[in-house]
C-alpha cells in the first residue's frame, strides 16, 4: 500500500499508528485526531510526517483508512469522510460490528475489524506499538464484503502483527458479548455487590485474588464500557439472560438437599473448559475462499499468513 | 507456645506447616495428613520430626491444633479429636465459618479462622511457606469466643505472617460470599456461557484479557469450589439474588432508550470503587477489647501486632 490513514489516536488507534509506522506497512502512514493535544502528543512521539493537521489531509490518497474512534463518534467521522469525498477502502477497530456496518451502509468499500487487545488505561499516552502483536483480530466477512477488499485488509492486519479471525459481523458481536461485554457488566455488578452495606467495608478489606481478577475490568472508564455494551445491546441482552439462567441453576442447587455434591457436578464442565483454555493450536492451511475462511473463524482459528491462493493458519 | 499441630496438609495446611516451621512459631510444629503419600511428601520436604504418623501423636500435648481439612472432612476429624480426648485450643482455616462453628459446638476452645490466600493448584505439592505472608486472615470473634483464646490464636497468625481481620462468623461468611464464592460461581457461569453452542469455539478463540481474568478461578478443582460455595449456601444465595437484581438492572438499561448514556451512569459507581481498591491503609492503634477489635474488622482493618493492652493495626 502507498498510504494508510488512522483516524482517532486513542489507545487502539494510537497503537495501530505506532505499529503501522514501525512495521512500515505502507510507504506512508498518517494519523489524525480531532483533539489538538492528542495530535501534539503524536507529533512528539512520531514526528510531524506521521500526523495530519486535518481529516481531509489525512485521508487524501489513502489506500486504507482505519476508523479508530469510539462508537458514538463513528457517525460524525463517516459524515466527514463523505464530505471530503473519500471513496477508498475503509476498516475500523470498534468493539461492535453490526452497528458500525449499519452506519457505514451500502456503497462503501468497508471491512469491519476488531483487535482483541486492550488495557484499563486509555488515550494516546497509553498507546503501545506492541499492544496488538499476536492478538486475535476479528475481521468481518459479511455477504456484502468483497473478498479482495477483505484480503487486502487482512494482509494489513498481519503486517501490523495481528492474527486474523474471519467471522460475520453478527457472529463477532455474539462472541464478544460473551467474552468481553458480559464480563464487564459482571465485574461492575460484583464490585457494587461487594461494597454494598452492610459489611461492604469488611468485604472489600478481605478481597484477595479471586475478587481482584474477577473485577479488574470494572476500573475501565465508564464511557468506554458503556459504548461497548450499549452498542451491542441485542447480543448482550441474550447473554445476560443466559447468565441469569445459569445463576438460577446454581441457586437452585444451593438450596437443594446436597449443595456440595450437586455443585461439584455443575462446576465440572466449566472447570474442564477453563483448564483447557487458551486452546492448544495446530497449524493448518486453507484455500482463500469465503467458506473456508469463515469455517476457520467459527472453529476458533486465525490466519497467520496469506499467500496467492492459500493462507496459513492456526486452529484449536 | 510449646507445640502446634496442623491436621491436613493440602495447599493451605501445607503452607501453614511450612511457614510455622520456618518462622519457628512454637518449640515444636507437627503436621499430619490422612494420606500416606502426602505425609511422605511432607517428610521429604521438612524431615521426619515435623510429620506425625497418626492424629493422636500429632495432637498429643499441642497448645494449638490447626484444622486444615476441607469442610466435608471436618466432622470426621472433630470426631477423631474427641476420640483421643483432645481438649486444647483449636482453630481452623476453612473458607466458611458458621458451618464449622456449628460442627464444633459448645464446650470446645475454638477460634475459627480463614486466611485469604490461595491459588488454582491444590495439594501439598503446591504448598508454599510464603503463600500466607501478608494476607488478610479472618479470625472469628463470636459471642462464645473467649478473648484470651482469640488473642493467642491471633498472635500465632501474626507469627505465621498473616494480618488478622476480626469479624463474627456470620460477618465473615457474608463477606466471603461476596468476594470469593460468588466470583467462583460467576466465573463458572461465564465459562459455560462462552463455550455454549452456537459460536462457542469462535468465542473461546477470541477470548483475551477480560475473559482470562474473569474466569481464572473457574479452573479450580470442582470439589473445592463446591465445598466453599455449598458450605456457605445461605449467605451465598443472598448474594446470588443481589447479583441477579443488578444484572436485571443492567438488562433494563440495555433495552431502554439510551443504553450507552444510561450504562455510563450505572457503571460509574463500581468504576470509582474498583479504581480505589485495594484501599489505601493508615496505621492505627486500638485497645484489646471485643468491641474495638470488631469495629476494626468491620471497617476493613487488620491487626499487624499485639502488645499487652493494645494492638497495632492498619485500616482504610
Amino acid at each position: 500500500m502507498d498510504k494508510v490513514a488512522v483516524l482517532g489516536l486513542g489507545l487502539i488507534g494510537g497503537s495501530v499508528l505506532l505499529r503501522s509506522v514501525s512495521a512500515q506497512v505502507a510507504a506512508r502512514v498518517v494519523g489524525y485526531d480531532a483533539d489538538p493535544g492528542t495530535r501534539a502528543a503524536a507529533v512528539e512521539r512520531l514526528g510531524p510526517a506521521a500526523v495530519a493537521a486535518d481529516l481531509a489531509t489525512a485521508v487524501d490518497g489513502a489506500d486504507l483508512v482505519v476508523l479508530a474512534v469510539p462508537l458514538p463518534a463513528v457517525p460524525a467521522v463517516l459524515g466527514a469522510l463523505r464530505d471530503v469525498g473519500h471513496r477508498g477502502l475503509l476498516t475500523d477497530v470498534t468493539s461492535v460490528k453490526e452497528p458500525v456496518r449499519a452506519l457505514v451502509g451500502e456503497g462503501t468499500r468497508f471491512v469491519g475489524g476488531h483487535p482483541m487487545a486492550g488495557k484499563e488505561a486509555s488515550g494516546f499516552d497509553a498507546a503501545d506499538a506492541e499492544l496488538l502483536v499476536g492478538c486475535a483480530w476479528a475481521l468481518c466477512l459479511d455477504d456484502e464484503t468483497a473478498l479482495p477488499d477483505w484480503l487486502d485488509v487482512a494482509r494489513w492486519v498481519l503486517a501490523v502483527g495481528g492474527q486474523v479471525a474471519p467471522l460475520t459481523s453478527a457472529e463477532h458481536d455474539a462472541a464478544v458479548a460473551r467474552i468481553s461485554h458480559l464480563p464487564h457488566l459482571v465485574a461492575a455488578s460484583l464490585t457494587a455487590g461487594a461494597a454494598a452495606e452492610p459489611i461492604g467495608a469488611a468485604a472489600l478489606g478481605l478481597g484477595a485474588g479471586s475478587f481482584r481478577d474477577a473485577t479488574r475490568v470494572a476500573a475501565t472508564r465508564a464511557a468506554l464500557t458503556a459504548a461497548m455494551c450499549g452498542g451491542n445491546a441485542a447480543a448482550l441482552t441474550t447473554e445476560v439472560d443466559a447468565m441469569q439462567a445459569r445463576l438460577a441453576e446454581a441457586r437452585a442447587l444451593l438450596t437443594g438437599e446436597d449443595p456440595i455434591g450437586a455443585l461439584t457436578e455443575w462446576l465440572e464442565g466449566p472447570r474442564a473448559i477453563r483448564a483447557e483454555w487458551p486452546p492448544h493450536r495446530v497449524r493448518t492451511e486453507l484455500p482463500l475462499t469465503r467458506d473456508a475462511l469463515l469455517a476457520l473463524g467459527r472453529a476458533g482459528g486465525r490466519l497467520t499468513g496469506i499467500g496467492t491462493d492459500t493462507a496459513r493458519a492456526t486452529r484449536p
Side-chain angles (χ1 to χ4, degrees), chain A residues 112 114 116 135-141 150 157 162-168 172 281 293-294 296-298 300-303:
Chain A
H114 180 206
M116 304 303 298
C135 79
W137 193 308
L139 211 56
C140 295
L141 192 47
W150 190 91
V157 167
Q163 300 184 349
V164 179
L167 290 170
T168 67
H172 166 276
R281 293 174 165 275
L293 289 164
L294 282 174
L296 175 79
R298 286 166 185 155
R302 306 172 184 176
L303 299 188

Side-chain angles (χ1 to χ4, degrees), chain A residues 7 25 58 67 92 97 102 118 123 127 145 149 153 161 176 178 186 197 201-202 249 265 275 284 304 307 312 315:
Chain A
L7 304 181
V25 299
L67 202 62
D92 77 323
K97 304 270 53 82
T145 315
D149 283 347
V153 178
V176 295
R178 294 177 173 191
V186 159
E197 291 306 330
E249 270 176 32
E265 205 171 313
T284 184
T304 55
R312 292 185 301 283
R315 52 162 295 173

Side-chain angles (χ1 to χ4, degrees), chain A residues 118-129:
Chain A
K119 43 185 173 179
E120 299 91 277
S122 55
F124 183 77
D125 290 343
D128 175 355

Side-chain angles (χ1 to χ4, degrees), chain A residues 214-226:
Chain A
T215 61
R216 180 181 60 84
V217 295
T220 309
R221 200 149 64 82
L224 288 178
T225 304

Side-chain angles (χ1 to χ4, degrees), chain A residues 11 116-122 131 179-180 182-192 204 208-222 225 228 274 277:
Chain A
L11 172 67
M116 304 303 298
K119 43 185 173 179
E120 299 91 277
S122 55
L131 180 67
I179 53 93
S180 171
L182 183 61
H184 274 82
L185 284 190
V186 159
S189 300
L190 286 172
T191 302
L204 292 174
S210 57
F211 179 73
R212 179 190 64 227
D213 288 0
T215 61
R216 180 181 60 84
V217 295
T220 309
R221 200 149 64 82
T225 304
M228 293 190 323
R274 185 56 178 77
W277 188 90

Side-chain angles (χ1 to χ4, degrees), chain A residues 43-302:
Chain A
V43 167
E44 196 165 312
R45 230 155 124 184
L46 285 164
V51 186
D54 55 70
L55 182 137
T57 311
V59 304
D60 182 42
D63 301 294
L64 177 66
V65 169
V66 183
L67 202 62
V69 298
L71 181 62
V74 167
V77 179
L78 288 174
L81 285 172
R82 274 190 293 269
D83 290 347
V84 302
H86 182 76
R87 300 189 161 278
L89 187 54
L90 183 70
T91 188
D92 77 323
V93 295
T94 319
S95 56
V96 289
K97 304 270 53 82
E98 283 282 31
V100 177
R101 184 187 178 202
L103 288 168
V104 168
E106 293 174 17
T108 300
R109 289 174 55 209
F110 175 69
V111 179
H114 180 206
M116 304 303 298
K119 43 185 173 179
E120 299 91 277
S122 55
F124 183 77
D125 290 343
D128 175 355
E130 301 303 306
L131 180 67
L132 305 165
V133 175
C135 79
W137 193 308
L139 211 56
C140 295
L141 192 47
D142 291 307
D143 288 344
E144 75 277 12
T145 315
L147 187 58
D149 283 347
W150 190 91
L151 290 170
D152 278 350
V153 178
R155 286 190 181 93
W156 170 77
V157 167
L158 292 170
V160 169
Q163 300 184 349
V164 179
L167 290 170
T168 67
S169 292
E171 287 166 349
H172 166 276
D173 288 356
V176 295
R178 294 177 173 191
I179 53 93
S180 171
H181 305 164
L182 183 61
H184 274 82
L185 284 190
V186 159
S189 300
L190 286 172
T191 302
E197 291 306 330
I199 214 72
L204 292 174
L206 286 186
S210 57
F211 179 73
R212 179 190 64 227
D213 288 0
T215 61
R216 180 181 60 84
V217 295
T220 309
R221 200 149 64 82
L224 288 178
T225 304
M228 293 190 323
C229 294
N232 198 18
L236 182 50
T237 302
T238 303
E239 297 305 325
V240 170
D241 290 345
M243 182 82 185
Q244 298 275 49
R246 279 179 215 280
L247 288 175
E249 270 176 32
R251 191 195 194 285
L253 302 181
L254 278 169
T255 53
E257 290 251 323
D258 173 22
I260 296 180
L263 280 173
T264 303
E265 205 171 313
W266 187 79
L267 290 161
E268 182 49 31
R271 186 211 60 75
I273 293 166
R274 185 56 178 77
E276 296 292 318
W277 188 90
H280 175 72
R281 293 174 165 275
V282 294
R283 288 184 196 184
T284 184
E285 198 168 307
L286 66 158
L288 293 178
T289 65
R290 194 177 287 269
D291 286 352
L293 289 164
L294 282 174
L296 175 79
R298 286 166 185 155
R302 306 172 184 176

